[in-house]
Amino acid sequence: MTKKLVVFGATGGTGRELVEQALAAGHTVTAAVRRPEAVALTHPRLTVRRADVLDPAGVEAAIAGHDAVLSALGATSTRAPTTICRDAVAHMLAAMERCGVRRIACVSALALGDAALLPWPMRLFVRHILKPLLRHPFADLLAMEERLRQSPLEWTIVRPPRLTQGRRKGHVRFAVDAPLPGAATISRADLADYMLAHVDDPALVRRLVEVAY
């Protein structure tokens, strides 16, 4: 069944995949972006709306009238403390309750989970390099996840490992509310494909999903 979807973070790699694949699947899409001129794609079922995720009124205007919210937001800097994802999701959830929109799926990061199940080179990389380097964005994502968990809405947290620019294969492994052993990579195309394929899945409501090849 086709939906009216609003995508936040639509100018990023995963966000662009979400928009393009959603349109290809027949959905009606609003790309909610800070800079509309950054969206080169045009389509009869695509609306590009200016929306600063830190502006509650702009977020609510973008969400109103849609069936589901998809967020592929991420921090733009690794060096400084940030609350962009936490605050943006708080505005989204508040707007959804006011507008009667129930469904939201947000991209997080698999590295926030149990590194013990990763392949050993990746485990060392995550523990000793990635987590220290990305401690500020990861803290923001953890706070975002907590905001979602506290919400009565129909949320799903999707945690991918390292994202690649590879083609869409159409098949991935996933684990619901459990660690996914051996998770190393997934393409942005397959991450978007998974999120869109499960946008209506009641089994993923208020669940955390780890997804990878």
Side-chain angles (χ1 to χ4, degrees):
M1 181 182 298
T2 58
K3 297 285 186 181
K4 292 182 178 179
L5 306 175
V6 56
V7 178
F8 289 89
T11 56
T14 302
R16 287 194 300 270
E17 287 286 348
L18 284 168
V19 170
E20 292 174 8
Q21 291 186 37
L23 291 169
H27 299 295
T28 299
V29 181
T30 294
V33 296
R34 187 168 54 87
R35 296 187 302 111
E37 64 274 14
V39 180
L41 180 65
T42 59
H43 193 282
R45 282 182 277 103
L46 173 64
T47 299
V48 180
R49 176 182 285 273
R50 186 185 300 275
D52 184 334
V53 294
L54 299 183
D55 172 27
V59 170
E60 182 170 344
I63 287 175
H66 289 81
D67 299 311
V69 177
L70 301 175
S71 174
L73 290 172
T76 57
S77 171
T78 63
R79 296 178 180 273
T82 178
T83 61
I84 183 73
C85 293
R86 180 195 71 183
D87 294 343
V89 161
H91 295 325
M92 291 176 204
L93 294 171
M96 289 171 66
E97 293 206 47
R98 288 192 293 267
C99 296
V101 179
R102 300 288 302 170
R103 188 75 174 105
I104 181 170
C106 296
V107 176
S108 185
L110 189 141
L112 300 180
D114 187 359
L117 296 178
L118 295 172
W120 74 265
M122 181 66 68
R123 182 164 67 245
L124 294 176
F125 175 74
V126 167
R127 284 180 175 172
H128 299 293
I129 298 177
L130 193 65
K131 284 191 173 181
L133 178 66
L134 301 181
R135 64 187 183 279
H136 295 311
F138 283 176
D140 186 30
L141 288 174
L142 283 171
M144 177 196 77
E145 290 187 0
E146 185 58 29
R147 288 279 174 95
L148 288 162
R149 287 190 179 95
Q150 292 174 0
S151 171
L153 298 176
E154 297 174 3
W155 54 265
T156 300
I157 297 166
V158 183
R159 285 181 172 179
R162 184 174 66 86
L163 295 169
T164 74
Q165 297 301 116
R167 63 179 179 84
R168 179 170 47 167
K169 299 179 181 179
H171 57 274
V172 298
R173 297 183 302 123
F174 65 91
V176 179
D177 288 338
L180 181 63
T185 65
I186 188 173
S187 71
R188 296 178 186 277
D190 274 313
L191 172 59
D193 179 64
Y194 180 87
M195 292 177 69
L196 290 168
H198 294 274
V199 72
D200 265 343
D201 189 348
L204 297 189
V205 170
R206 288 185 281 278
R207 296 289 185 264
L208 184 151
V209 185
E210 295 192 355
V211 58
Y213 291 135

